[in-house]
Structure formats: C-alpha cells, structure tokens
Amino acid sequence: MDDADIFETAPRTPGALRSVRAASGAVEIAYEHGRVRAEAVGPGIVRVRLAETGFAPERSWDVLQPARPPADAVASEVDGGAVLEQGGLRLTLQGDEAAMAIEGADGARWLTSAGPPRWGRARLDRLDLPHREGDALPPGVDGVLLRQAWTLDPRDRLWGFGQRTGGLDRRGRALTNWTSDSFGIGHHRGTDNLYQAQPLFLAVQPGRAFGAFLHVSHFSRFDAGARHPDRLGIDALGGELDLFLFAGPTPAAVVEQLTRLTGRPLLPPAWALGFHQSRWGYASADEVVALVDGFRERGLPLDAVHLDIDYMRGFRSFTWDPERFPDPRGLAERVHERGARLVAIIDPGVKDEPGAGYPAADELVTRGYALRNPDGSPFRGYVWPDRALFPDFARADVRAWWGDRHRASLVEIGIDGVWNDMNEPTVFDRPFATGAARNRPFPLGLRHGGDEEPASHLEVRNLYATLEGRATYEGWERHAPGVRPWVLTRSAFPGSQRTCATWMGDNNSWWEHLAMSVPQLLSMGLSGSPHAGADIGGFFENARPELFARWMELGAFYPFMRDHTAQGTRAQEPWAFGDEVEAVARQALTLRYRLLPYLVTLTHEAAFDGAPLMRPMGYAFPDVEETFDVEDAFMLGPWLLAAPALEPHCRWRRVVLPPGRWCDYWSGRPVGDAGAHGARAVIVEATPGRPPLLLRQGALLPSGNARPSTAKPLSELRIVATPPETDSAYEVVEDDGWSTAWQRGGVARTALRSRRDGDRLTVTIGARRGAFRPAPRRLVLEVRLGGPPERVEMGGEGVDVRWDPDRRAAEVAWQDDGTERAVTVWGGRTP
Ligand code: GLC
C-alpha cells in the first residue's frame, strides 16, 4: 500500500544526520527527526533500534532473555556515519535519512534500506487490522506507524515467520503479525495470519543464512516481496523499528541465536512425547476411562488423554462438572493406574458471575484483575461460558494469581498438564446458545498492564497467550515443585517456547491440511518453537479412513503427537476406521514408541541450542540448493529422512535424496546414493504401514522397545547403525522423564562413534556419563549391512550375532552395564 493511503497525513522521515557517537560496542546517531541505536547484544546478535523520539520503555513482560554483550564488538565512526561489527555481521549507517546497510563478514549485502523510514498516524481502515465498528486507533505512539523498506538479495529464500499456512519459502507474500482465531472458517494455503504471531524470518541461500526478529509486539506486517519481488517492507504500529539481526551463517546457527535471545525450548516430560488422544465431546469420566481401556485392550500405545471443555461445570475454568465428572481425583487415579496421563483444557475467559459461588470470577472482580475498557470498566465478551471477563496477564500479580488457581482444581487432583485454548484471545459477538456466533475483535484501546504499566491492546494482544502460558507454567512449578510442567497453547509469540508446546489449531480433515502441516511444523521449528503438532485426522469434518491412516503415519514424527477432533464429528480413535486402518495406526504408534530414545535425545538438543526435531532438508544440508524447496519431506534429527504419503492412493512417491548414501529404515535396502555434494530424486515405495523412512549413511540412531506407555521403563536400548563413509559420531541423552533433575546433571550421556576402514566397521558405545541411572535393560547394537557379516568381535573376542534378512540387520546384544563396548564387524558390505 502506498504511503498516501496508509498514513493520515504526509509521513515524517529522519532528515539530516546531526550527530554520531560510536563507543563501547554501540552506535548512536541522531537525525533532525529521529534516532538510531545499534549494539551487539550477544555473539552473532546485533540490535538496531530506530525511533522518532524516545525508544519504547522496557516492559516487565518482555520476552528477551538476559543479554551477554560480547567483548569483541567494534563500533567506529566513519565519514558521515558509523559502523558496527560483530560476529560476522556488519551494520553501516551513513549519511542522512537513517540509510542502513547490513552485510555479512564477506561483504555480501543482506539488507539495505530502500529509502527513508517514515512515521505518521496510520489510517485504521487501511491497516487490515480487525477492529469493531466505530473503533479508532488510540492516541499517542500506539497509533503511529513505522514503515521501512529494504532491498533483498534476489537469491534469498525467506523462511520462518512462525505459524502460517502455505509453503516453507514465504517470499512473495504479505504476512500479518496479529494473533487471530480462525474458528470455523477452515484456513487454507492463502490465509494470512493464524493464532500465533512470530515476527521473525531467516534469509537463506546455499552456504549462507542470516535472520531477523522484529521485537515489536504491536500489530505489524511484513511485505516479503509481495509488492516488489526484491523488497522487504516492514510496517509496525508503536512507531519503533526494533530489529534483532542474527549473523548465522547457517540456518541452525540462526535458530541458536534466536533461541538464545528469546529462550530455549522447554524439555517436555517423557509422557508428552508419547501419543495423546483427544476429542471435543468425551463427555464423562467413565467415557474417558473406557477410552484408555480401549487402547490397552487393543495393545495400542497411549500416554495422555485430553479433557476438552466438556469436563467443566458450564465451561467455567477451574471447575469440574459435578454429574459427569463427579470425582476428578478418582478419575486421575484410574487413568494413572492404566499408565496414562490427563491434560485439562483451560480457557482465559472467566464466566462473568461474581457473587455466584465461582471463586475465579469473584477474585477476578474484587481484586480488579480483569482487562479494562478505556473508561476503566471491566471488559466483557462472549466465549464458551457466555459472558466472560479476561485476566490481565501483563501484570505479575495476575499471573501469580492465575498460576495459583491451578493448585486445588488441577495440580492437587492429579492432572498432569494444561491445554490453553482461545488465548489469542478470542471472543464472539453473542452467546453461543443464540446461534450463528461470530468472532468479534477486541477493542483496540483495551487497557492491559494495570495502572502500573499501562499498555494498549495493540501492544499486548500478541503476547497475551505467551503471558498466560508463563503464568500457568510458573504456577505449576510452584505447586508441583521438581516436576516438569507441561502446557499446550494455541496462541503464541516468540518466547512462548520456553514454557509451552503448541498445536496448529482448528484444521480440517483434508489432504491439503495433512500436507500443509509439514511446512507449518518446519516453520515452527525454524521460528524457535519446535514442540508443535497438528491435530491428527483433522479437527473439523469427518476423516476418511485412508486420510486418517496416513495422518497417523506422519503424526508419528510430529514433536507433539495428538489425535483430536471437533464435537459432532464421527469417531476418530485409531480403531474407528476398521481393522486395516487400525493396523496402520498400530505400526505408526509402534514406530513412534521405538523412536522415543531418539526423540528424547532431540528434545535435549532443542533445550540446549534450539535445534528443531523436524528439520527442513535445507537446514540439514545448507549448501545444497536442490534440498531448499522440499516441503513434502524432512529430516527428523540428523539421521532419519521422512517422506510421508501426503496424497490419496499413494503407493510410490518421489523423494529428493540429499548428499550421501541412504537406505530404507524398514528393509535395510539401499535407496540411492546422491554423491558427496548434490541431490538426486528417486522413487520409493509408500506402502501403508511402511511410509518412506530413510536412514542416513553413518547413522547412529538410538531407539528402543515399543511400550504401552512411557510409564514403563525401556527394557531395551537399541542403536541402529549404518556404515559411515569414514567416521560418524552422536550422543544419546536420557533422563528420568519427569523431573527437573536434568537441569542439575541428572542425565545419562552415552557417546556413540563409528569408523569404517575397508571392510571393517567399528561401532563404539561409550561409557555412560551423568547422574541418571536407567532401569536394568538390554543394549542392542543393530548394524544395517548389505548381507550377513563374516565375523563380529566385541572387546577383541568373537560374539554371537543374529542376522535378520528382512531388515538386513546384524544384531549384537548384551546387558547394559554402562561400560564402554566396541563392536567390530568384518564384511557384510554396506547397504
Ligand atoms: C477450539 C480449539 C479446539 C477445541 C475447541 C473446544 O476450537 O481449537 O481444539 O476442541 O475449541 O474447546
């Protein structure tokens, strides 16, 4: 949109340069009208702020983690400007109008300002910002729009941008950052924004990646090359450009830098990595217990059941329906006895009925904790419990109160996790009972932050769910000390990954949505929020058997694996579609549970440096351009390439093989060799129950025995190895699965190494390190070979080996005593 359309009057620009200060790793420049401050805030992270007058105040609720400014940043004055250099990133500000260039260490241009930044009051009717009739932008800086355009490198793909529809590369789209419910509509490929707002991106090309996070919680928009293919436009309310730049130089490095700044992803408890079953409509405690029994009777693994709003008394958060769920404690016990866990939904809309014996409402009102209208009266809106009030999560006292509300009604009852929904936040225009209720925007001038730190809805909306998640997580930490909390959220902003897992909201039982979940979850991982899943089977509408079966296969690789569906849809449990589908679901669940030791290891990697579990191929192979646009396959950690069936009647499919040799996980057969550098497409079989899953050359993949749930310890740790070109290494990380002891050394680390020398392959399983001691179990080394080995030795002596021709696997097993073992295999050819 042109300036003339979006600003009320002609916008202001910074004008002539007035003064430059470059000292102690920071640059400050004053213009006639506006100022810039740039500083290195961490290795590989530079912050650039540009404002018209003062910079925005620091907020107590900010998502930024404490910074450790690097000692080696160099700020210097140059003729008519300044340069800031740190960690391979170079920012030059020179001349008038805040002209900026951001370059890599090699002088390659990343972003160059294309014209001056502009400020002015925005025209609400032109902003694409949902609002109520008659509403206006509040006065002051909240209504000031900052616009800045940048020149993009034509070769860059633009990844990240958080939760979106569409493909991995979002170049060519306009993208709004404004948390929105997409209830009932059924979002599609072209939908702009969904429930979450992650104003950040990665710019990638072979051999190079950098990233940027717009640290602005106000409504903002990126034009990622929609109007002009080589321009990036940033529009932000609040009047400030606050941009964090990440030096990369790989996608993995950018994700590390981003999560260093906004927080590392949580470490989920073991049960959260298992299978979750849910539906809106499990209407009684007995039905829930019967559901768990249904899994146990059929020998299908299950770790968690989700209780949707049906468990509450009239949709009141923190209550239980006295008739249908008369004994919540007893219910939790029955579910726990069966080796499963319970997750309960909590909505932020608190029924507006003070004085009616509902403590949450009483306290919200008497303590003045609710969000307020501009005139100071509490804001009310319709949601499940009809007229509701909304806690002001920007206040620390409200967060503490909210966290405490979980104690008696959930924590002490034995509930294991919380599911935060409707927290964009969402309201409707009328009570549901009257029919045809529609989403209604919140008033833009709504007051958050209480009297102490007043802020408008424009500033806080995008953070609302993240602050609710924090309140819940911290409440859980206080009331169940030492236990890892588990919170699932629908809405989010960067920083949410520290406390919450997330799902992609109300999808549909469509093949399109099955396929879309791949780039969606890959983007979540790139955006620093790897613990994500999409509703398996689809939420709205009825899943057809084949769709459900294929979705279970793909879901086995989701970091968060949940089957969920809406009220009124047909049954969607794994057995609801007949024996054939149940058999496929069983295969998928068995694979999921076998892979749990790998998934646990990957969650530790994520908690350490942000590395996603599901990785785009271009993340894993950042020099190989042919892998960059693959969005129908992905890497699960470093060793597995998953190429799910995403279309009906799929029996074969094309897979782009990244460099190296690959073999089929199921049969051990070679799939192809893409050579050392390039990629190569192959056609692979996609039989239901055995979706294409490839093992990388040099794999050292931890896995285990299948179990009914993670309540049972592993009886076998199995390392699946494929011969490397020369060497390979990995480390298995294990922990107790439930406590916070992992933060204090309560882990078990086992280094794995493999080395190939002619026809001799040695795999070494190192001595276990760390304070965690796994339960007694077998250790199995499974080497995938072209044929049976000639000889196998362990510690210099011949050992028995089992050859499984169906999987082309040579297996050596021993009782795991935590000591180092080296196994050498002669012959057998590489697969
Ligand atoms: C929302 C949620 C959905 C849930 C429903 C009822 O639509 O996204 O998952 O089942 O509300 O609580």
Side-chain angles (χ1 to χ4, degrees), residues 275 293-302 548-553 556 561 573-576 578-594 666 688-691 706-708:
F275 181 63
D293 285 339
F295 280 84
R296 298 294 175 244
E297 281 155 16
R298 293 172 176 87
L300 292 167
L302 173 76
F548 180 79
R550 291 311 203 175
W551 216 320
M552 283 294 285
E553 289 180 350
M561 184 186 190
E573 292 75 31
W575 55 82
D579 293 347
E580 238 173 89
V581 172
E582 188 183 321
V584 174
R586 175 172 285 104
Q587 286 268 46
L589 288 166
T590 303
L591 175 66
R592 171 73 172 200
Y593 277 74
R594 283 195 200 285
W666 307 102
R690 285 169 76 133
R707 291 170 281 169

Side-chain angles (χ1 to χ4, degrees), residues 492-548:
F493 190 77
S496 180
Q497 73 274 3
R498 294 174 53 218
T499 55
C500 297
T502 181
W503 91 107
M504 298 300 99
D506 298 345
N507 59 2
N508 291 53
S509 299
W510 298 340
W511 287 96
E512 289 90 324
H513 278 185
L514 166 72
M516 186 174 78
S517 71
V518 175
Q520 221 172 18
L521 298 179
L522 294 175
S523 298
M524 291 303 295
L526 290 168
S527 304
S529 195
H531 295 296
D535 284 346
I536 292 173
F539 179 72
F540 288 124
E541 304 190 24
N542 297 308
R544 307 269 309 202
E546 188 189 1
L547 175 69
F548 180 79

Side-chain angles (χ1 to χ4, degrees), residues 364-381:
L364 196 59
V365 172
T366 54
R367 299 185 186 192
Y369 283 172
L371 285 185
R372 287 182 230 171
N373 289 307
D375 67 5
S377 61
F379 165 77
R380 296 180 168 88

